[in-house]
Amino acid sequence: MIDQTIPEHYRLLNRYSSFSDLTGPFYEKIVDDRHVGIGLRVQATHLNKVGVAHGGLIMTVADNAFGDAILNAHDEPMAFVTMSLTCEFMSPVREGDWLEATVDIQRKGKRVVFANCDMRVGDKKVAFATALFSMIDKK
């Protein structure tokens, strides 16, 4: 039987995005009233034809984690887009796995944000992503 439980400190995250509705559901990890990452229980709909999580799903989790971390690192609302996202896949992620993503913002400039994202299943690092984000006008 596939585990469907949601780990402690996670709550359902409404991304207000129909694309995210297709790729989720996503959960936000809150510790001490602070956002510290996102998670996703891998489901059958997330798998590729060989039966492991699709690489596009893993990159989508990373991109969402980056976005949440950047929003939480700024005091004022802002808009930004992904300029570049690279991902290293280290181990397969399987149905029922709890995939957790945490972000480390390396540099927060006026126009560009640089960040890294670790993705884990339990204690095992399964992927690593690096990304650049461009700040844009909210017009």
Side-chain angles (χ1 to χ4, degrees), residues 47-122:
L47 306 181
N48 62 22
K49 65 182 177 182
V50 297
V52 297
H54 194 285
L57 170 78
I58 294 169
M59 293 179 78
T60 297
V61 171
D63 199 38
N64 279 285
F66 281 127
D68 290 349
I70 292 167
L71 288 171
N72 283 289
H74 287 81
D75 295 330
E76 298 177 16
M78 88 292 298
F80 52 91
V81 294
T82 308
M83 291 172 54
S84 170
L85 192 154
T86 60
C87 191
E88 304 295 327
F89 304 99
M90 300 166 181
S91 183
V93 178
R94 304 192 185 283
E95 184 177 1
D97 284 348
W98 181 257
L99 179 61
E100 181 176 38
T102 56
V103 171
D104 180 25
I105 295 177
Q106 301 293 302
R107 182 167 172 249
K108 188 172 72 170
K110 288 184 180 184
R111 289 189 217 152
V112 179
V113 175
F114 301 78
N116 296 329
C117 179
D118 276 329
M119 288 165 281
R120 297 180 177 274
V121 171

Side-chain angles (χ1 to χ4, degrees), residues 12-23:
L12 187 60
L13 180 59
N14 188 340
R15 306 213 58 81
Y16 303 100
S17 159
S18 53
F19 178 76
S20 292
D21 291 344
L22 292 171
T23 55

Side-chain angles (χ1 to χ4, degrees), residues 24-43:
F26 295 95
Y27 295 84
E28 177 180 34
K29 186 174 186 178
I30 302 291
V31 176
D32 297 328
D33 294 322
R34 201 174 130 256
H35 170 91
V36 295
I38 69 169
L40 171 102
R41 177 69 64 195
V42 177
Q43 301 172 9

